[in-house]
Amino acid sequence: LQEQKKNYQDQLRSRRANETALKGLLEANGKMYNELAEKYKTLKNVSDKVIQQLKSLLCEVSDYFSTSSSNSNRPPSKDSPFGKKNFDKTLEKHGFALKKDENSADGTRVVLKFLDDEGDGKKEEEQKPTKEESHSTDSDDKNVTKEKKRRKAHHPGASQKMLKPNKVVDCKPEVCPNCGSSDFVDVVEAYTTQFIELKQELLEVTHFHVYVGYCAKCGKKVYGVVPEKYRRAYGSLLTAFIGYIDSQTATTRRQTQKIIQEVFHGVISQGGIQKILDRVSEALIPYYDAIARKVRGSEYNHVDETSSRMFGSEGKRLHWLWVLCNDLFAFFRIDERRTKEAFYKLIDAWRGILISDDFVTYIKWEYGRQTCLAHLIRAARKLKGSLCERIAKCGEWLLPKLQALCKMKGKQHSEIEIEVIKQEIRDRAAEFKNAGGGASTLVARILDELDSITLFLRNPKIDPTNNHAERMIRAAVCYRNVSFGVTSEKGERWQERSLSVRKTCELAHMSYYDTLKEAVDAYFDGENPSVYKLNKYKWYRSNGFRLNGYVQ
C-alpha cells in the first residue's frame, strides 16, 4: 500500500508539474498571439494605406493617359494617336489589367487583377457573340446607317458653280449614232458644262523706255517721265496676291519666290517680296483701325489669347496674340505679356459683356461675363471617365446638365426660371463638394461662377460658349505651327492687320483678296480706302437679310 501511495504521489506531482508547464506555455502562446495580432493589425493598416495610395496613383495615371482635347484644354495637335492603349498594354505586359470595381465600398473603382490565361480565355469565349446576336448587331448597324441617310436626305448637296465665261461654244448634234443622219429638228439647249484653264502668260510686263535729251535753249539734260501709276516695280494685283498667299497660306519668302518663278514665269527677289508685304501692311492700317473701332463699340465680345513666337535680335521670346471678336468683326493684337495691362490695351475703353474662359483676368471682369460652357463640358467629360466612383458620378451628373444648358441658348428666360435652374445646381453640387480630385475643384468653381454660367439665359444674343473666339484664333495657331514665328516688330504688325482683315472678311462674306486689292489701289493712289463694306454687311444683318456669297 505504501508503495502504491508513493507511486500515486509521484504521478500527482508530475501531473501538477505538467499542468504548470502547460499553463506557462499557454500564457506564452497567448502573449505571442496578442503580439502577432497587433503586428497583423498594424501591417494591415499599412498595407491598406499603401493599396489606397496605389489606387489613387493609378487613378491619376489613368486620368493622365486618358486626357485629350475632347475632355481638357489640350490642343488636338498634342493628342496621341494611340490614346490610352499604351498604358493598358504596359499593364498587360507585366501580367496585370486595370478594371473597374463597381462593388467597392470606399468609392474607388480600381482593381489590379492578375491575368490568368485560362480565365482570359474563358472571358473571351463568353464575350464572343452568337450567330443570332451578330446578326442582330449587323441589322442594327444597317438600321443606324439608314437612319443617318434618312436624316441627311433634306441636304440639297453641292455642285460646281458656273463662272462667267470668256468664250461660249455651241455644241450641236452632228451625226446620229443610230442611223447616221445629219438632219435634226427641235434642237434646244440641254445643259451647260464648263472648261477652266489658266492663261499661258499670267504676268503682264510693261517696259518703259526712258529717253534723255538736252534742252535746245539752255542745254540742260532732261529725262522722260514715267507715269505716277507705274513708278513702282509691281502693280496692285501682284502686290495683293503676294500679300494674300503670305497671310492665307503662311508660305515662306523662298516659297513665294518659287511660286512667282515657276507658275508666273517671273523674277523677284526675297527682299522685293518683303517690300511688297510692307506696302500691303501699311495699306491695311485704315481697315485695321476701323475694325478696332467697331469691335470696341459692340455690346458683347468674345476674347481669347494664344502664344506667339518672336525670334528677334534679343533671341527667342514668347509673346501673346490676343483676339477680341463678335459675329461681325475680329480684332487681333500682339503683346509682350499675358497680363491685365495687355488685356486693357486690347479692349481700350470698351466695357461690355465678356464671353471668355477661366483666365484670372477675365474672371475679375465687373461688367457682365459669360463663362464658356464648352470648357466646363470638357472638364465634366474627364470626370465621367475617372476610375473613382464618386468623381465619376459627379461627371455623370454634370455633363448632361451642362449640355442641356447649352441647348437653352437663343431664348430669353424669366428670372424665376433662372433661379430654379441655379437652385437645382446648388442642391446637387452640395453632394460632391468633398468628392476629392478634380470634382471638388470643378464643383467649387461652378458654385462661385453660377451667375456667369447662366448669364446667356437673360440675353438671347449671348453665346454660352467661347467657341467663336477659338475658331477665330485657330488661323494664328495654324500659322504658328507651320512657321518659326516672326523676327521683328514689323512682322507682328503685319500679322495683326492681316489676321484682323482676313477674319472680318470671312465673317462678312467678303472677298479677302478683293479687299487687299482695293486697299493697295488706294495706297498707291495716295487716297484713304473706303471701309463702307464693313458697315454695309452690318446693315444687312441688322435688317434681317442673309447673304449667300460675297457682298458686291
Side-chain angles (χ1 to χ4, degrees), residues 299-300 353 355 367-371 373 405-423 425-426 448-464:
E299 177 186 358
Y300 63 90
I353 298 175
I355 307 170
Y367 304 96
R369 172 176 167 268
Q370 172 60 47
T371 299
L373 295 187
L405 270 178
C406 283
K407 294 179 180 179
M408 299 171 68
K409 70 175 182 178
K411 180 182 177 182
Q412 187 172 1
H413 296 75
S414 64
E415 291 296 330
I416 297 177
E417 293 174 342
I418 296 173
E419 191 58 36
V420 169
I421 294 172
K422 291 164 66 175
Q423 191 60 41
I425 296 176
R426 290 193 195 100
D448 292 340
E449 302 181 20
L450 202 53
D451 293 334
S452 299
I453 290 174
T454 56
L455 179 66
F456 74 100
L457 298 176
R458 297 182 175 88
N459 192 341
K461 297 180 180 179
I462 303 300
D463 199 322

Side-chain angles (χ1 to χ4, degrees), residues 320-339:
W320 293 89
L321 176 69
W322 299 74
V323 60
L324 188 70
C325 59
N326 49 46
D327 293 339
L328 301 176
F329 305 99
F331 175 66
F332 291 84
R333 184 180 183 277
I334 297 178
D335 201 283
E336 297 181 359
R337 301 285 185 270
R338 189 191 182 207
T339 58

Side-chain angles (χ1 to χ4, degrees), residues 30-285:
K31 290 181 180 180
M32 187 181 300
Y33 174 79
N34 292 333
E35 291 176 358
L36 291 174
E38 290 294 331
K39 290 181 179 180
Y40 172 76
K41 188 176 181 180
T42 304
L43 290 174
K44 187 176 183 302
N45 292 334
V46 173
S47 63
D48 290 344
K49 186 177 180 180
V50 171
I51 291 172
Q52 190 64 30
Q53 291 176 349
L54 288 174
K55 287 183 176 181
S56 177
L57 177 62
L58 284 171
C59 286
E60 294 181 5
V61 172
S62 179
D63 290 343
Y64 173 79
F65 279 94
S66 61
T67 301
S68 63
S69 58
S70 63
N71 58 17
S72 68
N73 296 336
R74 177 187 292 181
S77 58
K78 292 187 177 181
D79 286 348
S80 171
F82 305 103
K84 197 181 172 185
K85 294 181 180 179
N86 287 340
F87 179 61
D88 297 335
K89 287 182 179 179
T90 303
L91 290 177
E92 292 179 4
K93 181 180 178 181
H94 295 279
F96 292 94
L98 197 62
K99 304 291 183 181
K100 290 184 178 181
D101 185 11
E102 301 289 347
N103 300 322
S104 61
D106 58 353
T108 305
R109 300 194 292 178
V110 179
V111 176
L112 267 179
K113 187 170 182 180
F114 185 75
L115 294 177
D116 187 9
D117 295 337
E118 297 179 359
D120 292 342
K122 290 180 181 178
K123 285 189 176 180
E124 289 179 1
E125 291 177 0
E126 292 175 0
Q127 292 177 357
K128 286 183 180 179
T130 60
K131 291 184 178 179
E132 296 179 357
E133 292 176 348
S134 61
H135 180 71
S136 61
T137 304
D138 295 339
S139 61
D140 292 341
D141 293 340
K142 291 180 180 179
N143 292 334
V144 171
T145 305
K146 289 181 180 179
E147 182 65 24
K148 288 183 178 179
K149 290 182 179 179
R150 194 179 298 114
R151 291 176 186 172
K152 293 184 178 181
H154 67 279
H155 195 278
S159 60
Q160 177 68 34
K161 293 184 178 180
M162 305 298 290
L163 303 178
K164 184 179 179 180
N166 302 101
K167 182 172 64 173
V168 177
V169 178
D170 294 331
C171 300
K172 297 182 179 180
E174 297 178 355
V175 179
C176 177
N178 186 27
C179 63
S181 174
S182 59
D183 295 330
F184 296 93
V185 295
D186 299 333
V187 178
V188 295
E189 183 180 351
Y191 62 93
T192 301
T193 183
Q194 63 182 0
F195 174 76
I196 304 172
E197 179 62 291
L198 288 173
K199 290 185 178 180
Q200 184 66 27
E201 298 294 337
L202 298 177
L203 290 182
E204 182 181 349
V205 182
T206 305
H207 286 190
F208 292 88
H209 298 283
V210 180
Y211 291 85
V212 61
Y214 294 90
C215 179
K217 185 176 182 179
C218 63
K220 185 178 179 180
K221 189 177 182 180
V222 180
Y223 288 88
V225 179
V226 178
E228 180 70 25
K229 182 179 180 181
Y230 302 102
R231 289 184 183 179
R232 293 180 176 83
Y234 306 102
S236 59
L237 290 176
L238 181 60
T239 301
F241 175 75
I242 291 178
Y244 178 85
I245 63 175
D246 183 85
S247 58
Q248 189 81 2
T249 61
T251 57
T252 63
R253 305 292 180 270
R254 191 179 300 276
Q255 290 171 337
T256 304
Q257 186 183 35
K258 286 283 187 182
I259 292 173
I260 300 299
Q261 289 176 354
E262 297 180 4
V263 179
F264 292 86
H265 303 289
V267 178
I268 187 172
S269 64
Q270 296 182 28
I273 294 173
Q274 185 58 52
K275 287 183 180 179
I276 287 176
L277 295 179
D278 294 343
R279 292 168 186 166
V280 179
S281 179
E282 292 180 11
L284 291 180
I285 292 178

